[in-house]
């Protein structure tokens, strides 16, 4: 039944009027989940590898094993937490408690990193387990919570708020790390995460729902959801998974290899190449909120196509520049373009998903993106070995982006757009 038929259904006019108003307050608070990622992620990338090396030494196999703790916990906890949040939502307890528990554990982990016990192997591993457990427990429930709390037509704006605050947090805490050093910055991060948890607890109220059936097992429900996606039971699901995979593959290519590419190509010191990283983060800040607005105005699919097209053009241009000064504005523009698919992919994905399955399918969405990161590093490393240099970096990124553009073309028009999901249809 078309979404417009709801206009003629008695009792729905007030709900439609409510959804017409942008819930700015909710979007700002929900966006703090992005700030959480911006606070934790960059600090871990900047400091944890150095801590592991300092504790373990140059035994690279052992370093790799310790650094794999995050990936192991992700694979174990994301599907479990997604299914657990579905069960909690179905029983009336809500997903928020799981998100808050994740925040609390993450804050404790950040505080442990600021303490002297991380100077030993046992303390360092304990800190990593606590911190990564908190981060991974909240991932899928938080994504499902965004869909639960924000009306369909405003989800792109809400995810824009998440991306905006994530990029701002990354810039601020990377700068704090440079100015204050590791331990003070980790302490500030721990307090910030607790403040985010308090804002969630005080400001967010999950809507009451009647009893519904939720996933009964984490891995079993995840396998069933993956099978449904592969079979194409939901229109456009395979295409959006592929596009999201390629989007993360593109991003991972930049974050992992740009420093090596920049030092080789531009002849700069590693610390000078961070200008390019900052330019990318600034572009994310500039593009995130407009990406949400554009997705609401012209449609999520069209916004993703626009972003991928602009991004591919910027990356091709970056392949030809000769200095970092020329590259910086193009990197910012490429990142601003990157926000268009980043902000609109999840709202498009989650639109046809019924509330009782959002946790499990959000976990599958996150695992698909994680797969892009896991495959990207060895794949790109092999390509750079064949090329004998890091020169093809931006050509590779442009290729992945072009493939993502093609994948989005396979999403049927109208599928996943605002107001087309089951919650938007009259009972």
């Amino acid at each position: 039944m078309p979404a417009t038929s709801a206009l003629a259904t008695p009792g729905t006019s007030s709900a439609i009027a409510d959804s017409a108003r942008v819930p700015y307050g909710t979007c700002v608070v929900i966006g703090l989940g992005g700030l959480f990622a911006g606070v934790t992620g960059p600090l871990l990338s900047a400091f944890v590898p150095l801590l592991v090396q300092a504790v373990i030494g140059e035994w690279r196999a052992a370093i790799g094993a310790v650094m794999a703790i995050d990936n192991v916990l992700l694979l174990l906890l994301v599907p479990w937490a997604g299914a657990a949040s579905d069960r909690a939502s179905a029983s009336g307890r809500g997903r928020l408690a799981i998100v808050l528990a994740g925040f609390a554990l993450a804050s404790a982990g950040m505080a442990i990193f600021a303490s002297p016990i991380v100077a030993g192997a046992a303390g360092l591993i304990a800190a990593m387990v606590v911190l990564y457990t908190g981060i991974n427990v909240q991932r899928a429930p938080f994504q499902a919570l965004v869909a639960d709390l924000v009306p369909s037509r405003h989800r792109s704006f809400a995810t824009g708020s998440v991306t905006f605050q994530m990029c701002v947090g990354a810039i601020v805490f990377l700068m704090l790390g440079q100015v204050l050093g590791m331990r003070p910055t980790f302490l500030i991060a721990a307090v910030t995460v607790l403040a985010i948890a308090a804002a969630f607890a005080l400001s967010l109220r999950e809507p009451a729902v009647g009893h519904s059936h939720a996933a009964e097992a984490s891995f079993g429900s995840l396998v069933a959801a993956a099978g449904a996606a592969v079979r194409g039971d939901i229109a456009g699901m395979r295409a959006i998974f592929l596009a999201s995979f390629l989007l993360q593959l593109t991003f991972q290519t930049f974050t992992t290899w740009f420093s090596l590419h920049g030092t080789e190509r531009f002849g700069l010191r590693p610390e000078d190449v961070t200008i390019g990283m900052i330019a990318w983060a600034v572009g994310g800040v500039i593009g995130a909120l407009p990406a949400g607005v554009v997705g609401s105005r012209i449609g999520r699919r069209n916004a993703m196509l626009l972003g991928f097209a602009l991004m591919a053009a910027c990356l091709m241009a970056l392949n030809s520049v000769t200095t970092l000064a020329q590259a910086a504005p193009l990197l910012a523009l490429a990142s601003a373009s990157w926000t268009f698919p980043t902000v609109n992919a999840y709202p498009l994905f989650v639109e046809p998903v019924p509330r009782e399955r959002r946790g499990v399918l959000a976990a599958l969405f996150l695992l698909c993106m994680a797969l892009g990161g896991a495959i990207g590093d060895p794949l790109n490393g092999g390509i750079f070995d064949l090329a004998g240099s890091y020169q093809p970096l931006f050509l590779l990124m442009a290729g992945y982006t072009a493939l993502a553009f093609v994948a989005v073309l396979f999403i049927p028009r109208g599928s996943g757009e605002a107001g087309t999901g089951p919650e938007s249809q009259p009972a």
Side-chain angles (χ1 to χ4, degrees), residues 25-403:
T26 300
C27 289
V28 169
V29 177
I30 281 290
L32 292 172
L35 180 61
F36 169 82
V39 168
T40 55
L43 289 183
L44 296 179
S45 297
F47 292 114
V48 170
L50 299 176
L51 284 170
V52 173
Q53 185 182 49
V55 170
I56 293 178
E58 295 299 330
W59 187 11
R60 291 177 177 83
I63 293 173
V66 172
M67 293 301 296
I69 289 173
D70 180 25
N71 292 322
V72 172
L73 290 174
L74 185 150
L75 291 173
L76 293 175
L77 294 176
V78 166
W80 172 84
S85 78
D86 282 342
R87 291 194 294 270
S89 178
S91 66
R93 296 192 304 273
R95 309 180 198 272
L96 184 58
I98 300 176
V99 175
L100 294 178
F103 286 170
L105 280 172
S107 177
M110 300 297 274
I112 295 172
F113 267 108
S115 70
I117 71 169
V118 296
L124 176 61
I125 291 173
M128 293 177 69
V129 169
V130 172
L131 179 52
Y132 286 128
T133 295
I135 290 172
N136 288 302
V137 160
Q138 62 83 40
R139 286 182 191 271
F142 170 72
Q143 292 291 342
L145 196 63
V146 173
D148 289 352
L149 294 178
V150 181
S152 170
R153 67 181 298 175
H154 304 305
R155 284 177 192 150
S156 288
F157 186 80
T159 53
S161 176
V162 170
T163 304
F164 173 84
Q165 295 195 48
M166 177 183 71
C167 292
V168 170
I171 294 171
V172 170
F173 275 83
L174 283 174
M175 293 176 66
L176 284 175
Q178 289 182 336
V179 174
L180 301 178
M182 182 189 72
R183 286 192 166 84
T185 305
F186 270 109
L187 279 177
I188 295 171
V191 173
T192 303
V193 170
L194 282 182
I196 293 170
F200 269 46
L202 295 173
S203 304
L204 299 181
R205 295 291 179 271
E206 295 180 72
V209 293
H211 178 76
S212 61
H213 297 288
E216 296 300 329
S218 57
F219 291 103
S221 56
L222 188 71
V223 170
V230 170
R231 291 191 303 270
D233 291 353
I234 300 177
M237 187 69 77
R238 284 178 297 193
I240 189 60
F241 274 131
L242 180 58
S244 299
F245 168 84
L246 290 164
L247 176 64
Q248 183 61 27
L249 180 57
T250 306
F251 180 70
Q252 187 80 13
T253 301
F254 176 77
T255 56
T256 301
W257 300 102
F258 176 71
S259 293
L260 293 170
H261 170 89
T263 54
E264 176 189 90
R265 180 175 175 184
F266 303 123
L268 301 173
R269 298 176 305 165
E271 52 267 35
D272 294 330
V273 180
T274 58
I275 295 171
M277 298 286 192
I278 294 172
W280 186 279
V282 170
V285 171
I286 294 170
L289 295 179
V293 174
V294 170
S296 299
R297 296 287 178 84
I298 70 172
R300 296 160 180 168
R301 179 181 182 271
N302 290 337
M304 291 180 69
L305 289 171
L306 175 63
F308 279 131
L310 289 174
M311 190 176 173
C314 291
L315 293 170
M316 290 299 295
L318 279 162
N319 187 61
S320 302
V321 300
T322 57
T323 67
L324 186 59
Q326 295 172 338
L330 283 170
L331 284 168
L333 183 56
S335 176
S337 305
W338 163 82
T339 63
F340 279 65
T342 298
V343 163
N344 288 286
Y346 178 71
L348 190 149
F349 156 80
V350 81
E351 184 69 27
V353 176
R355 179 179 180 133
E356 63 269 16
R357 301 289 290 170
R358 283 176 185 158
V360 166
L361 284 167
L364 189 60
F365 182 82
L366 291 166
L367 290 175
C368 176
M369 297 192 73
L371 182 63
I375 289 177
D377 286 346
L379 172 64
N380 291 325
I383 293 173
F384 292 140
D385 280 339
L386 288 174
S389 78
Y390 300 106
Q391 178 65 34
L393 174 73
F394 291 115
L395 287 179
L396 275 177
M397 293 175 67
Y400 299 145
T401 302
L403 290 174

